[in-house]
């Protein structure tokens, strides 16, 4: 019963989040990550967040997002999971292999010197790539 209640609350939360995004944006770009692949990598000991991505219902969320967008004639743009969003400097485009190490949360671009927050930089790259794909 408790499990069912939590599942319902979670679904309700995802619907509200999706509703907000669909109301505020004309298109949404996401990284098409494979939860399965991430869970696999976790077995190898590298990824620690593979399971939490699955637990958070990322697939459920993107499905909800996709059909709510479609209802309004809007688009969900999926950026290929191999696109190196975390490695590219969004300012100059330099690819910094050092950021493959997931513990690198902030970094300075060796080429242009820009300082980056890992997640923010990746999000900007995903936005730009989504724009490029949907153009
Ligand atoms: Zn740079």
């Amino acid at each position: 019963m408790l499990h069912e209640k939590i599942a319902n609350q979670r679904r309700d939360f995802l619907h509200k989040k999706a509703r907000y995004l669909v109301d505020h944006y004309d298109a949404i770009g996401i990284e098409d990550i494979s939860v399965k692949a991430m869970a696999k990598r976790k077995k190898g000991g590298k990824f620690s967040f593979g399971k939490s991505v699955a637990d958070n219902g990322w697939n459920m969320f993107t499905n909800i997002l996709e059909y709510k967008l479609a209802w309004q004639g809007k688009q969900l743009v999926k950026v290929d999971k191999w696109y190196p969003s975390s490695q590219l400097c969004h300012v100059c485009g330099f690819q910094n292999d050092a950021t493959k190490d997931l513990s690198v949360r902030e970094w300075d671009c060796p080429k242009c010197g820009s300082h980056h927050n890992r997640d923010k930089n990746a999000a900007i790259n995903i936005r730009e790539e989504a724009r490029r794909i949907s153009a």
Side-chain angles (χ1 to χ4, degrees):
M1 272 310 198
L2 182 63
H3 180 79
E4 195 179 322
K5 193 180 173 203
I6 291 167
N8 285 338
Q9 283 174 346
R10 175 183 286 175
R11 202 171 299 125
D12 188 51
F13 173 78
L14 295 179
H15 274 276
K16 279 181 183 150
K17 278 282 171 197
R19 164 61 48 212
Y20 177 87
L21 291 170
V22 170
D23 285 346
H24 287 79
Y25 299 95
D26 290 331
I28 294 170
I30 61 162
E31 199 159 33
D32 193 13
I33 50 170
S34 160
V35 171
K36 253 188 197 168
M38 292 179 73
K40 256 186 216 160
R41 271 208 237 177
K42 197 193 170 210
K43 277 183 190 166
K46 262 291 185 191
F47 278 62
S48 58
F49 54 86
K51 191 171 181 292
S52 69
V53 170
D55 283 350
N56 287 332
W58 179 250
N59 282 337
M60 191 197 282
F61 182 64
T62 58
N63 286 338
I64 293 168
L65 201 53
E66 192 159 29
Y67 76 68
K68 281 191 194 301
L69 284 164
W71 280 347
Q72 297 196 17
K74 295 176 176 179
Q75 200 186 2
L76 182 72
V77 184
K78 289 180 179 174
V79 172
D80 192 284
K81 66 181 171 187
W82 300 116
Y83 174 71
S85 59
S86 301
Q87 297 171 43
L88 299 172
C89 166
H90 81 265
V91 177
C92 75
F94 179 81
Q95 187 162 349
N96 185 4
D97 288 344
T99 64
K100 281 181 185 172
D101 180 348
L102 293 171
S103 68
V104 177
R105 305 311 302 169
E106 299 200 8
W107 53 283
D108 293 311
C109 175
K111 194 178 170 193
C112 74
S114 298
H115 183 74
H116 296 301
N117 167 288
R118 179 190 190 87
D119 294 335
K120 217 180 247 181
N121 179 65
I124 291 168
N125 282 328
I126 290 166
R127 182 188 67 194
E128 294 309 310
E129 181 67 2
R131 278 185 178 149
R132 194 187 65 77
I133 292 168
S134 61

